[in-house]
Amino acid sequence: MNNIQSYIKENKERFLNELIELLKIPSISADSAYRNDVLKTAEAIKVSLEEAGCDIVEICKTDGYPVVYGEKIIDKNLPTILVYGHYDVQPPDPLDLWNSPPFEPIIKKTKSHPEGAIYARGACDDKGQMYMHVKAMEFMTSTNQLPCNVKFMIEGEEEVGSANLATFVKNNQDKLKNDVILISDTGMIAQDVPSITTGLRGLSYVEVEVTGPNRDLHSGLYGGAVANPINVLTKMIASLHDENNHITIPGFYDKVEELSKEERAEMAKAPFNLDHYKKALDINDIYGETGYTTNERNSIRPTLDVNGIWGGYTGEGAKTVIASKAYAKISMRLVPHQDWEDITQLFKNHFESIAPKGVTIKVKPHHGGQGYVTPINSIGYQAASKAYQDTFGKTPIPQRSGGSIPIVSLFEQELKSKTILMGFGLDSDAIHSPNEHFGIFNYLKGIETIPLFYKYFTELSK
């Protein structure tokens, strides 16, 4: 890949400005009020792929938001790389915790990003990382260095569970046929410690509703005489973990894979400073399942967390009521072999069984997906490793991630190809949180590294 660094240097400001314009569009898939913005983003991605050199670009309708598909086939005898990404973003709430408006991108220098970082919702997850692939494609086509075929599948519903992508994939297997799938929606250990994600956790996401009396009640007249749904809900949630922070749902751990001492020892070789970790989060101690390290808790162990809880009066001042209803949103991150639909049913059965008399319970499943582990002896992994070695001067560390990309396991099932997860974000980039950002170094390094994956994958496939 000749002249890639000079090409990036010459086009740096344009690359940044194009991403900034994309980040200005609030493509929030979870909120129907932003539907037009999500569709506008799909159109913007279509134009970008056309300008990057794709010969065919389509906006493919689904029952939800569309998939943007692009391709450039130079020789059917050469390997085909399928790039997956998503153009939708998480809601920015709570807005008052942002230091700058989430859809008015700004560049700021920080200790972690001395060259500057773009602050905006979607900067790292996933518009910035997805757009690296578009610009890498532009470099290869404009300099006549594309070594193989390439296809793009950029969706608009990843942040709400990719509900319609499964149908799209099943109905378009010939269109999506490939030799390897390439995704940048994960991270690396540090700017000077490249890593390749080799495992993802699965996900089960549910919403629960506890109903007591048929209306809100005066807490003086009825307090102590009827069940308070908020009190009941908090007790039920608290009972889902024991004193060792072990999840108490019967059958929850039945299919959990226990890694060997040797595998855990290999994981422990990854650089990690507990003091720095606590300082970055402004906490005085860590918390989690007894018997496991922090990096094991957030990658190879399943978890259950409350993502939101509400009920009663939450406005300014006081209102003395017993609420009629209380609600919570709960996510369970799962490890390989735990089936998300089975876990959802186990949760539902257990949560309904522990409800006291005086309340009724509803459990509403939202979405989910299976975990995924990719082998490190595949051609795809070797190509990624060689690409990182060229640009970082170091061999990347294989690392399991605590995050979830539910659709990845479906790709292997339906398209019969492995996925390579080349992420360039950092844990400190605040994805899904206020003040999300993506380092300029990381963004440009991704554009530099991705073409080398194409080069080495093509060579190793011969």
Side-chain angles (χ1 to χ4, degrees), residues 1-29:
M1 290 295 166
N2 299 323
N3 304 318
I4 187 168
Q5 290 181 337
S6 59
Y7 187 88
I8 292 172
K9 184 177 180 180
E10 291 168 6
N11 293 280
K12 174 182 175 181
E13 292 306 314
R14 177 172 63 83
F15 287 174
L16 290 172
N17 289 334
E18 287 179 8
L19 176 56
I20 285 171
E21 290 304 309
L22 191 63
L23 291 168
K24 289 179 180 179
I25 311 173
S27 51
I28 305 168
S29 54

Side-chain angles (χ1 to χ4, degrees), residues 53-207:
C54 285
D55 293 328
I56 297 174
V57 185
E58 304 167 345
I59 293 183
C60 305
K61 292 183 179 180
T62 72
D63 287 342
Y65 290 118
V67 173
V68 184
Y69 174 82
E71 68 172 45
K72 188 173 184 68
I73 308 299
I74 60 174
D75 185 340
K76 291 184 178 180
N77 295 316
L78 289 171
T80 299
I81 296 171
L82 173 62
V83 176
Y84 165 83
H86 64 93
Y87 60 85
D88 64 321
V89 302
Q90 283 272 319
D93 308 68
L95 292 171
D96 59 327
L97 295 183
W98 284 79
N99 295 327
S100 56
F103 296 106
E104 296 178 18
I106 63 168
I107 295 176
K108 294 191 294 186
K109 292 183 178 181
T110 69
K111 186 176 180 180
S112 298
H113 297 290
E115 296 181 26
I118 303 174
Y119 280 73
R121 172 55 86 232
C124 182
D125 181 19
D126 179 45
K127 286 180 178 176
Q129 296 209 70
M130 173 271 295
Y131 206 65
M132 297 184 308
H133 290 270
V134 179
K135 295 296 98 180
M137 173 72 170
E138 176 196 307
F139 162 74
M140 290 184 287
T141 57
S142 65
T143 60
N144 198 30
Q145 295 188 75
L146 181 65
C148 61
N149 306 313
V150 60
K151 298 176 180 179
F152 288 86
M153 176 173 58
I154 313 299
E155 70 154 320
E157 297 183 313
E158 195 274 345
E159 298 294 6
V160 290
S162 302
N164 294 290
L165 191 63
T167 301
F168 178 81
V169 170
K170 290 176 182 177
N171 292 341
N172 291 276
Q173 292 190 9
D174 287 340
K175 179 194 287 280
L176 300 173
K177 188 177 180 180
N178 67 85
D179 295 286
V180 70
I181 299 169
L182 185 58
I183 300 177
S184 295
D185 195 12
T186 53
M188 58 185 189
I189 293 172
Q191 285 197 350
D192 59 346
V193 185
S195 56
I196 301 173
T197 300
T198 57
L200 295 166
R201 289 195 287 189
L203 175 68
S204 168
Y205 197 103
V206 300
E207 182 174 327

Side-chain angles (χ1 to χ4, degrees), residues 35 50 182 184 218 297 314 353 365 428 452 458:
R35 175 175 174 79
E50 290 170 339
L182 185 58
S184 295
H218 189 290
R297 290 167 178 166
T314 58
S353 74
S428 58
L452 291 166
T458 304

